[in-house]
Amino acid sequence: MRPGFVFTLVSILLTACGTQVELRTAAQQEQLGRESASQGDWAQAMRAYADAAQNAELGHGDAAWQARLHHAAGRAASAACRYDAAAFHFRSAIALAKQGRQSSALSYQALIELYQRQGKTAEALAVRNEPGWDGSRALDAFADIESLPVCKPCGPQP
């Protein structure tokens, strides 16, 4: 065998192993996120879901899974009063859902609700006017899903 071929083969095998490790880690972090959220530890849930999303991306996990992870991170960030992080994760979820040809209605609705809770009416209206927003699908999607978590009132944002 030629040395170049062996090096290429070893590189491919190492990459495949690394991908599996990242996906397994993402699944474990997702579970930690669920557990933290169920205990009301929203800051920990946000970190776990965000880390899971990052590892799912590094491991080339499918876009629909990454979108769900970002959506969960956005919900947790909202409950932890981390509004900028929540908006980032909802936007990421929307983009990934579209990429995976999945509905982005839940993340659009969550982003609108996030802005409304903050009194940012103009931003909420701007999201409603985006080309991908479909209000009728969002209402159907929310029929089985709870809205953003409500916890202690958040103080002024820095």
Side-chain angles (χ1 to χ4, degrees):
M1 274 196 216
R2 294 185 311 156
F5 175 75
V6 172
F7 177 76
T8 303
L9 182 60
V10 169
S11 295
I12 291 170
L13 291 174
L14 288 175
T15 301
C17 290
T19 297
Q20 291 305 311
V21 168
E22 288 155 342
L23 294 176
R24 197 170 25 257
T25 301
Q28 291 168 345
Q29 291 165 323
E30 180 181 22
Q31 181 60 36
L32 174 61
R34 276 194 220 107
E35 291 169 5
S36 299
S38 72
Q39 296 169 4
D41 187 349
W42 298 110
Q44 176 61 37
M46 176 191 67
R47 287 189 298 274
Y49 284 127
D51 289 346
Q54 183 177 26
N55 276 301
E57 180 183 355
L58 292 171
H60 307 290
D62 77 337
W65 182 32
Q66 291 180 54
R68 286 191 307 273
L69 291 170
H70 275 290
H71 182 82
R75 291 185 75 243
S78 175
C81 303
R82 299 282 312 277
Y83 298 134
D84 289 343
F88 167 79
H89 286 294
F90 290 139
R91 286 282 181 199
S92 296
I94 290 166
L96 286 160
K98 288 178 181 179
Q99 178 185 331
R101 301 192 192 290
Q102 301 291 318
S103 172
S104 56
L106 280 176
S107 296
Y108 267 118
Q109 183 62 37
L111 184 60
I112 290 167
E113 186 178 338
L114 175 73
Y115 286 140
Q116 288 173 336
R117 282 188 179 183
Q118 296 175 75
K120 295 183 175 182
T121 309
E123 287 88 341
L125 183 59
V127 172
R128 285 186 191 276
N129 291 328
E130 288 182 15
W133 164 248
D134 180 357
S136 62
R137 289 184 67 187
L139 293 176
D140 291 340
F142 260 101
D144 297 328
I145 306 290
E146 75 277 3
S147 63
L148 292 179
V150 178
C151 55
K152 66 175 177 35
C154 299
Q157 293 294 298

